[in-house]
């Protein structure tokens, strides 16, 4: 197998594992077995190790010396930092909303509608996915490929924090209407109010996750 093909295979394996982590099939703290995954995915240990290295770079897994590779468990400081960076990237989107192309503004509205449909159906895991799409679309209003890439990585990490929440409905339900309100403020050209709402929104979400993590440690 050539180097380019080996890299391509490792990236494909990393994508498969990333999707399982984000979807909850591999929750935080899960050990990733080279032997079992190699058998299941039909790839060599070297390919798996390269895929693991990609996921370590994305902060989704950690390699513990003499123990193996595990899906990362976030600490409160990680959550605080994720939300600090989220605030910077999403605020950039809000500030650029007035001149953003129509397709980007429509992606924001589409994510709101997806979350509302999922909530009506009681599918709270999908509400969480739609919520992340909403925030990805919010940052994308800035029209920066680097912001988009940073948000992709950040939101994958955020999935790890979501898995700490014992009730997806309890966590996501209050934010469905707040997403709608935030999108409406932007549609109405109320950009200063939208930025203030976003700041409060992210503070509330961060606090909810941190409070839950502290309760679990008691």
């Amino acid at each position: 197998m050539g180097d380019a093909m080996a890299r391509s295979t490792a990236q494909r394996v990393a994508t498969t594992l990333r999707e399982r982590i984000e979807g909850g099939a591999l929750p935080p703290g899960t050990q990733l077995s080279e032997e079992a995954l190699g058998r299941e995915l039909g790839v060599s240990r070297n390919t798996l190790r390269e895929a693991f290295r990609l996921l370590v770079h994305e902060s989704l897994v950690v390699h513990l010396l003499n123990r193996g590779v595990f899906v990362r468990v976030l600490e409160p400081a990680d959550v605080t930092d994720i939300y600090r960076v989220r605030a910077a990237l999403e605020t950039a989107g809000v500030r650029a909303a007035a001149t953003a192309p129509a397709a980007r503004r429509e992606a924001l509205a589409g994510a709101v509608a997806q979350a509302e449909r999922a909530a009506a159906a009681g599918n709270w895991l999908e509400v969480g996915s739609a919520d992340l799409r909403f925030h990805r679309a919010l940052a994308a209003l800035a029209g920066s490929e680097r912001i988009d890439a940073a948000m992709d990585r950040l939101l994958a990490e955020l999935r790890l924090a979501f898995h700490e929440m014992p009730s997806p409905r309890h966590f996501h339900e209050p934010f469905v209407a707040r997403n709608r309100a935030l999108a409406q403020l932007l549609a109405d050209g109320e950009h200063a109010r939208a930025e203030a709402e976003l700041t409060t929104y992210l503070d509330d979400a961060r606090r909810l996750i941190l409070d839950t993590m502290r309760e679990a440690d008691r």
Side-chain angles (χ1 to χ4, degrees):
M1 185 185 291
D3 288 347
M5 187 177 292
R7 281 195 299 272
S8 174
T9 303
Q11 288 166 348
R12 176 176 57 79
V13 171
T15 297
T16 296
L17 295 176
R18 186 187 305 110
E19 288 171 352
R20 292 184 186 183
I21 291 168
E22 292 179 7
L26 294 171
T30 302
Q31 184 169 10
L32 302 180
S33 164
E34 284 184 9
E35 185 177 353
L37 286 169
R39 234 183 0 254
E40 178 195 348
L41 300 175
V43 296
S44 69
R45 289 197 172 197
N46 283 341
T47 296
L48 264 178
R49 287 169 185 164
E50 179 59 29
F52 289 163
R53 277 193 286 272
L54 293 171
L55 295 175
V56 166
H57 181 68
E58 295 176 21
S59 301
L60 292 179
V61 306
V62 291
H63 183 267
L64 302 179
L65 195 62
N66 299 323
R67 290 188 57 202
V69 176
F70 295 80
V71 179
R72 188 159 164 245
V73 177
L74 295 185
E75 300 293 333
D78 296 318
V79 173
T80 298
D81 199 35
I82 286 169
Y83 272 85
R84 184 181 295 123
V85 180
R86 279 189 72 184
L89 299 182
E90 294 183 41
T91 295
V94 167
R95 290 176 179 175
T99 56
R104 290 198 182 123
R105 295 197 301 272
E106 287 163 9
L108 198 68
V112 170
Q114 288 167 352
E116 289 173 340
R117 285 195 297 271
N123 186 348
W124 296 100
L125 289 177
E126 174 55 26
V127 172
S129 296
D131 178 68
L132 293 183
R133 285 193 289 272
F134 172 80
H135 289 282
R136 168 79 168 68
L138 194 60
L141 293 173
S144 163
E145 290 183 3
R146 289 173 177 80
I147 285 179
D148 291 347
M151 278 297 287
D152 284 344
R153 176 174 170 177
L154 206 63
L155 295 181
E157 273 194 90
L158 192 60
R159 277 287 197 187
L160 298 176
F162 283 3
H163 294 318
E164 300 287 339
M165 308 304 288
S167 167
R169 177 173 185 170
H170 175 72
F171 179 58
H172 293 299
E173 190 168 29
F175 294 102
V176 174
R178 292 181 73 168
N179 285 355
R180 168 64 67 185
L182 187 50
Q184 192 61 51
L185 286 172
L186 290 174
D188 293 342
E190 298 275 4
H191 299 104
R193 286 181 61 196
E195 185 174 336
E197 166 58 22
L198 176 65
T199 300
T200 304
Y201 177 121
L202 293 176
D203 283 345
D204 291 345
R206 173 183 51 81
R207 198 173 300 115
L208 194 53
I209 293 173
L210 291 177
D211 287 348
T212 300
M213 293 174 80
R214 292 188 187 107
E215 285 290 327
D217 286 341
R218 285 181 183 174

